[in-house]
């Protein structure tokens, strides 16, 4: 699940970059070709990521599954030879939840910064499109 979420979030970053390129090159009329898929991708992936972290269903949510395993350990229903593996799985599930949240936060940050750049670029229509040279 973590690989799938991270892969889709990487695609969202690529769409942000493509949108920035289109705006910078003055091809704003084509920006819908990247913004529509970006909006869909973000809506679906952020929803899935949120559900993967916070769903109360242990078969879906990382934290719910970790809590269910912890309850099984505390209740003594885990076989003695599986205790160590179960503890490791609990730690891994909590790390998966944290990494998913981190990825989602970073993508939102990248999107906000890209939107600020788009606004600045669209605000100075008559300005040259070349990058400033290093002096």
């Amino acid at each position: 699940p973590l690989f799938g979420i991270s892969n889709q979030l990487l695609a969202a970053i690529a769409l942000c970059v493509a949108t920035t390129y289109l705006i910078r090159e003055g091809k704003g009329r084509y920006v819908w070709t990247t913004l529509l898929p970006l909006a869909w991708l973000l809506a679906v992936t952020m929803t899935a990521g949120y559900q993967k972290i916070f769903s109360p269903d242990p078969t879906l949510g990382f934290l719910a599954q970790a809590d269910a395993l912890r309850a099984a350990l505390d209740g003594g229903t885990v076989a003695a030879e599986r205790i160590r593996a179960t503890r490791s799985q609990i730690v891994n599930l909590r790390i998966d939840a944290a990494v998913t949240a981190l990825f989602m936060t970073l993508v939102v940050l990248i999107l906000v910064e890209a939107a600020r750049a788009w606004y600045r670029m669209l605000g100075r229509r008559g300005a040259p499109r070349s990058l400033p040279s290093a002096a």
Side-chain angles (χ1 to χ4, degrees):
L2 186 58
F3 175 77
I5 291 169
S6 63
N7 187 44
Q8 295 304 307
L9 292 175
L10 182 61
I13 292 170
L15 287 168
C16 281
V17 170
T19 302
T20 302
Y21 173 78
L22 288 172
I23 292 172
R24 193 185 83 199
E25 294 300 314
K27 298 179 182 184
R29 66 180 177 264
Y30 301 113
V31 85
W32 66 271
T33 62
T34 55
L35 283 181
L36 284 177
L38 175 61
W40 173 256
L41 191 61
L42 285 174
V44 170
T45 307
M46 290 297 187
T47 301
Y50 181 84
Q51 288 178 345
K52 198 63 188 151
I53 296 170
F54 297 111
S55 175
D57 181 1
T59 61
L60 181 60
F62 287 133
L63 297 177
Q65 189 175 4
D67 291 342
L69 289 173
R70 172 58 56 198
L73 271 179
D74 294 344
T77 59
V78 176
E81 63 272 358
R82 297 278 310 144
I83 290 176
R84 187 172 179 171
T86 302
R87 285 186 180 140
S88 295
Q89 192 173 4
I90 291 169
V91 170
N92 289 343
L93 287 165
R94 294 192 189 283
I95 291 172
D96 285 348
V99 169
T100 300
L102 175 66
F103 286 170
M104 291 170 60
T105 302
L106 291 174
V107 168
V108 168
L109 180 64
I110 289 168
L111 179 65
V112 167
E113 287 301 315
R116 288 179 62 209
W118 302 338
Y119 180 76
R120 283 192 309 269
M121 284 186 273
L122 290 172
R124 55 183 166 118
R125 285 254 181 225
R129 287 179 276 182
S130 63
L131 297 174
S133 62

